[in-house]
Amino acid sequence: MSSDSVVRLDRRGFLRGTMAAASAGIFGSAGALASATPQQEADAFLARFVEGWLPRLTASDEADWAASTDVSEAHTTAKVAKSIELGQYVGSPEVIETVRRLLDQKAMLNDLTIRQLEKIRLHAAEAPGTIPEVVKARAEAEANQTATQDGFTFHIPRPEGAREVSANEIDRILLESRDLDERRAAWEASKEIGRPLREGLLKLRDLRNKVAREMGFDNFFALQVADYGMSVDEMLTLCDRLIDQMRPLHRQLHAWARRTLAERYKTKAPGDGRIPAHWLSNRWGQDWPGLVEGIDMDEPFRGKPREFITEQAERFYASLDFPRLPSSFWARSDLYPADPKSGRKKNSHASAWHIDLDRDVRSLMSIEANSQWFTTAHHELGHIYYYISYSTPIVPYPLRAGANRAFHEAIGDLIGLAAGQRPYLKQVGLLSPGAARADATTFLLDQALDGSSVVFLPWSAGVMTRFEHAFYSGQIGDGEQNAAWWKLVGQYQGIAPPGPRPETLCDPATKTHINDDPAQYYDYAIATAIKYQLHDHIAREILKQDPRDCNYYGNKKVGAFLRGILSLGATRDWNAVLREATGEGLSARAMAAYFQPLGDWLAKENHGHQVGWGSPE
Ligand code: X8Z
Ligand code: ZN
């Protein structure tokens, strides 16, 4: 594939990308005017910038959407062309220079203006027009990597010939099969995608770093972290703190899971105490659903039409007084797996899109009627309702984003947590008999193992964050990707590969975000902490109910509280937003409190058994 450059707004509204060449004079007379104050000059610049930005952004997003929902040479070429136009605009030296000059006069500007200029500066830093050849090369590499990823076909080897399988089918085997050979074959098949992605990822690392360094960032990781107004050290310290706060519970869960799985597969856990990766239900061990016998969260969804999944999620938001989704959402979204017979290939990972930073909101999913997609649909609608809530005249276009990226990830997860509470499930007929019967601790155990919860933190704040930091700051040699990856997986998650992982494979590249949402995965770790903080506040202060047994459904006060946060977009400092909403700064305190009864139970359950793994930890 050949392409010139790519610039796009990612699924959370953060512009990333590159430009081929700077075009001069976009803003014409918007330069310094002798008679204008810095504030007047900034107002004029922002108005003019947005006017030219929106149509280019929309065209680029439309082309990107087409390329992600129907992988083809023609769509990739069109996406690249539109991206170039956008990149030449946002990364033009004129924009960079104007923003720099205005930000040098911060004392004369109001807060909203400074915030917009900071955002535009970060957008420009993704596409600095001062190094067009690097930016162009990056664009080509980004486009190739995405096309390779989204166009990949998984195969499970069999004596009679390899069988083509979808990502959903691999996930189903890992969730349901009790046959370790079958599990290992599915797990290994899921890792084959890393092989064709390895070289492109190494190339992208160098190009992304060169782009980031042009405007003074240490590396690409530092550029992404800058959106939080934090240094890299501060971000790593924050992630470590979240892991530390939940470490005791994670170790207990790990010990319990290892024993339970060894019994399930009638085998023994390896001597160093790490859990073999193919024993777990998720391809990366990022969450471990399906471990608690007797709680089958999928049962209520069997036989339901797949349309039910998003419609029920929408009903939840609507019950909180959020508007119904616009008809264009239903008309334009791509919610179900591509028909294998059609030959169409689409990105298999869920995402939510804000095409025009206004009314055009869409989601890309591959929904099947099960509990995993039920949770994911709530997650994606969280993004969609965030987009809708801040698309008002009060929020300037450059600030139509989350309070920070983690807030954007947290909202749908919060509603997913609310939709997993038993009083709600019972009310809407989605509580399986097993889940209804389970005692409170067993139900809590199931939640701790499920998505975006306790076992997710060592993965998100640990493995993913530490790998990408080391990768972009030059601490991993070219022939050491898998070695570095599995060292981190072993250390943080207590998981080991089922066999050797040669460097011709590239296991980190099997995770979508490493390729196309790079150096941002701590967003999800921080979102997990924020989710429990918001939930704790909502349950105790608004609902006056037990956070582990509550029901948001139909509560308009909860909706008003959430819209108070969502409608701000990125107009306020995120620390202040969190403090004002919950009364505390970012922390896993609420999360630890939520699971505290489980910790007590597990400590007893694990008494006399091995807890922990490897040495030293
Ligand atoms: O990528 C996602 C969302 C899309 S923004 C489905 N998540 C992370 C993942 O799947 O790895 C949600 C939880 C973590
Ligand atoms: Zn998301």
Side-chain angles (χ1 to χ4, degrees):
M1 180 186 327
S2 116
S3 59
D4 285 314
S5 93
V6 169
V7 175
R8 69 185 182 92
L9 193 79
D10 77 8
R11 53 179 77 104
R12 276 83 38 90
F14 185 76
L15 190 76
R16 68 158 59 94
T18 57
M19 56 168 287
S23 62
I26 289 171
F27 298 101
S29 61
L33 299 174
S35 58
T37 64
Q39 185 63 54
Q40 284 167 335
E41 201 197 320
D43 289 345
F45 165 75
L46 288 172
R48 206 178 301 221
F49 174 83
V50 167
E51 197 183 308
W53 181 42
L54 289 180
R56 289 169 172 88
L57 177 69
T58 304
S60 173
D61 278 351
E62 280 282 14
D64 194 5
W65 172 264
S68 300
T69 54
D70 187 4
V71 180
S72 76
E73 192 91 33
H75 281 158
T76 304
T77 307
K79 161 178 146 171
V80 164
K82 293 296 170 198
S83 299
I84 291 169
E85 286 171 30
L86 176 61
Q88 287 174 336
Y89 187 81
V90 298
S92 84
E94 199 182 348
V95 168
I96 294 172
E97 191 37 46
T98 309
V99 167
R100 199 194 316 265
R101 187 163 43 74
L102 289 168
L103 283 174
D104 277 347
Q105 306 171 76
K106 259 189 194 165
M108 315 277 280
L109 302 175
N110 67 38
D111 185 58
L112 212 54
T113 304
I114 296 170
R115 291 184 164 279
Q116 292 180 73
L117 293 170
E118 302 274 18
K119 281 280 187 218
I120 295 170
R121 184 177 75 93
L122 290 178
H123 295 169
E126 297 276 354
T130 43
I131 47 165
E133 68 298 336
V134 176
V135 166
K136 178 172 180 284
R138 174 189 173 190
E140 286 166 354
E142 298 273 9
N144 285 334
Q145 193 77 346
T146 312
T148 304
Q149 176 188 263
D150 296 350
F152 188 80
T153 306
F154 295 101
H155 288 96
I156 297 187
R158 290 180 309 179
E160 65 270 34
R163 180 167 75 94
E164 189 176 321
V165 285
S166 66
N168 274 339
E169 282 173 279
I170 288 179
D171 292 346
R172 192 172 322 117
I173 293 170
L174 292 179
L175 187 65
E176 291 174 1
S177 170
R178 304 283 165 121
D179 174 342
L180 277 182
D181 291 338
E182 185 187 26
R183 299 186 63 84
R184 181 164 176 174
W187 185 88
E188 283 174 349
S190 80
K191 301 294 156 187
E192 280 299 313
I193 190 172
R195 199 187 295 274
L197 291 169
R198 181 181 172 278
E199 210 185 299
L201 183 61
L202 295 176
K203 198 170 162 184
L204 273 171
R205 172 197 60 195
D206 297 342
L207 292 166
R208 286 169 178 163
N209 275 341
K210 278 186 188 156
V211 164
R213 284 176 187 141
E214 178 66 8
M215 277 178 66
F217 296 91
D218 283 350
N219 55 51
F220 186 74
F221 191 88
L223 169 57
Q224 302 310 313
V225 169
D227 198 42
Y228 283 78
M230 289 164 75
S231 70
V232 168
D233 278 351
E234 285 166 341
M235 180 56 81
L236 295 177
T237 303
L238 169 61
C239 284
D240 284 350
R241 208 176 72 223
L242 298 180
I243 296 172
D244 286 347
Q245 285 180 284
M246 298 309 296
R247 177 174 284 115
L249 184 55
H250 180 246
R251 280 165 51 90
Q252 296 287 347
L253 278 170
H254 181 277
W256 180 86
R258 179 177 51 209
R259 249 191 1 265
T260 303
L261 287 168
E263 275 167 35
R264 176 180 286 186
Y265 304 129
K266 301 185 181 41
T267 183
K268 278 179 103 166
D272 70 357
R274 294 193 170 88
I275 300 174
H278 67 300
W279 286 20
L280 294 162
S281 50
N282 176 277
R283 280 178 259 168
W284 305 275
Q286 69 183 61
D287 40 53
W288 308 347
L291 250 163
V292 181
E293 296 291 345
I295 299 192
D296 177 4
M297 296 304 271
D298 284 342
E299 198 250 31
F301 297 99
R302 293 203 182 96
K304 289 238 186 317
R306 57 194 190 172
E307 287 74 17
F308 173 81
I309 297 289
T310 320
E311 286 168 10
Q312 185 61 26
E314 185 202 23
R315 274 193 282 279
F316 200 115
Y317 287 89
S319 87
L320 306 181
D321 235 4
F322 281 92
R324 303 303 301 253
L325 291 167
S327 54
S328 61
F329 171 87
W330 299 107
R332 295 174 189 166
S333 288
D334 187 337
L335 299 177
Y336 306 106
D339 180 353
K341 285 189 234 96
S342 72
R344 178 168 75 103
K345 289 274 176 198
K346 61 183 267 195
N347 185 317
S348 65
H349 195 81
S351 52
W353 299 57
H354 200 186
I355 299 283
D356 58 354
L357 287 186
D358 199 10
R359 301 281 113 193
D360 191 343
V361 292
R362 306 177 195 176
S363 181
L364 194 176
M365 293 193 260
S366 292
I367 295 176
E368 294 182 348
N370 60 37
S371 80
Q372 215 170 319
W373 278 109
F374 190 59
T375 307
T376 301
H378 285 81
H379 177 99
E380 297 311 328
L381 289 201
H383 289 304
I384 299 290
Y385 278 110
Y386 218 144
Y387 299 150
I388 291 173
S389 302
Y390 57 56
S391 294
T392 66
I394 296 165
V395 181
Y397 284 94
L399 299 178
R400 293 191 178 180
N404 60 27
R405 295 193 307 257
F407 264 86
H408 228 301
E409 299 302 339
I411 300 306
D413 277 0
L414 170 69
I415 301 303
L417 173 62
Q421 298 288 314
R422 287 195 284 192
Y424 163 71
L425 292 171
K426 190 164 178 221
Q427 183 181 343
V428 297
L430 289 173
L431 189 64
S432 68
R437 269 195 310 273
D439 61 56
T441 313
T442 309
F443 196 70
L444 207 53
L445 174 62
D446 195 63
Q447 288 181 319
L449 299 163
D450 210 342
S452 299
S453 194
V454 183
V455 300
F456 181 69
L457 273 186
W459 155 257
S460 52
V463 175
M464 285 292 282
T465 297
R466 287 286 169 177
F467 178 83
E468 291 198 291
H469 172 252
F471 185 62
Y472 288 107
S473 59
Q475 294 167 27
I476 304 175
D478 279 3
E480 300 171 347
Q481 308 312 309
N482 267 355
W485 177 257
W486 285 103
K487 192 161 179 252
L488 291 167
V489 173
Q491 181 188 338
Y492 283 98
Q493 292 180 283
I495 296 173
R501 305 301 297 161
E503 293 292 341
T504 44
L505 289 160
C506 184
D507 293 331
T510 68
K511 186 68 191 162
T512 322
H513 304 68
I514 298 269
N515 300 302
D516 64 14
D517 210 3
Q520 299 188 356
Y521 206 85
Y522 41 82
D523 294 356
Y524 299 105
I526 299 170
T528 300
I530 293 175
K531 163 174 77 170
Y532 284 100
Q533 289 185 270
L534 293 174
H535 179 70
D536 194 60
H537 175 85
I538 289 170
R540 289 177 199 283
E541 305 299 330
I542 303 179
L543 299 173
K544 316 269 185 220
Q545 294 173 19
D546 178 352
R548 295 176 214 103
D549 198 31
C550 62
N551 193 353
Y552 294 22
Y553 197 75
N555 192 298
K556 315 256 183 278
K557 279 194 198 149
V558 173
F561 169 75
L562 289 176
R563 278 192 301 284
I565 297 171
L566 271 49
S567 60
L568 293 172
T571 59
R572 300 271 322 279
D573 170 65
W574 67 265
N575 282 294
V577 172
L578 185 61
R579 244 174 223 292
E580 282 166 30
T582 67
E584 64 176 355
L586 189 82
S587 134
R589 181 209 57 81
M591 183 174 180
Y594 186 91
F595 288 107
Q596 190 260 320
L598 177 62
D600 297 346
W601 180 84
L602 280 170
K604 286 199 200 97
E605 238 355 68
N606 287 332
H607 187 72
H609 293 281
Q610 181 196 5
V611 176
W613 57 87
S615 63
E617 273 191 74

